[in-house]
Amino acid sequence: MSMKFQTRQVDDVTILDLSGRITLGEGSVTLRDAVRDVLAKGSNKILLNLGDVNYIDSSGIGELVSAFTTVKNQGGELKLLNLTKKVHDLLQITKLYTVFDVKDDEASAIASFNS
């Protein structure tokens, strides 16, 4: 199953609920386009909900880093929410866990954008 997403707005934070696989090709392109679309609409506080993402390959990890950098370069923030154990372990192995602001609770994640 390729990656799918839905967009929600909570206060001034845009939440992308991602599901499926973020892999080379369609998944990573979908993620890139989704983040660019959010930025183009003027929102630069983005929360990626990865709770239903069951697999990320190296290309997907690269895309997360690229999205993080793109948002940061535009003065915004990108945070991750609800990592599965696999994705959590992957971010720890690659030491990217220290780069991303990772949250387990949506309410506190949204509050953290405005603190």
Side-chain angles (χ1 to χ4, degrees):
M1 181 175 106
S2 61
M3 194 196 91
K4 295 182 177 170
F5 72 96
Q6 291 192 318
T7 306
R8 294 184 284 135
Q9 191 77 30
V10 177
D11 297 331
D12 58 348
V13 178
T14 302
I15 302 171
L16 296 174
D17 295 309
L18 309 178
S19 62
R21 302 161 57 95
I22 305 175
T23 56
L24 179 66
E26 191 179 340
S28 57
V29 170
T30 303
L31 175 59
R32 184 182 320 146
D33 290 347
V35 169
R36 285 185 181 164
D37 189 47
V38 170
L39 288 170
K41 289 177 179 167
S43 177
N44 63 3
K45 295 177 181 177
I46 301 174
L47 184 61
L48 296 182
N49 181 0
L50 302 177
D52 289 326
V53 171
N54 48 35
Y55 183 77
I56 297 181
D57 70 0
S58 58
S59 178
I61 292 288
E63 203 52 51
L64 286 179
V65 174
S66 174
F68 178 83
T69 305
T70 301
V71 173
K72 196 161 186 122
N73 286 343
Q74 297 201 15
E77 287 183 274
L78 181 139
K79 300 183 182 194
L80 304 181
L81 176 68
N82 292 331
L83 300 184
T84 61
K85 184 176 184 326
K86 271 188 190 171
V87 174
H88 180 276
D89 290 349
L90 194 56
L91 290 183
Q92 279 209 316
I93 290 167
T94 56
K95 306 216 183 298
L96 288 169
Y97 200 76
T98 58
V99 173
F100 290 104
D101 192 356
V102 179
K103 304 291 185 188
D104 295 322
D105 173 64
E106 184 174 310
S108 63
I110 290 166
S112 72
F113 278 97
N114 298 313
S115 60

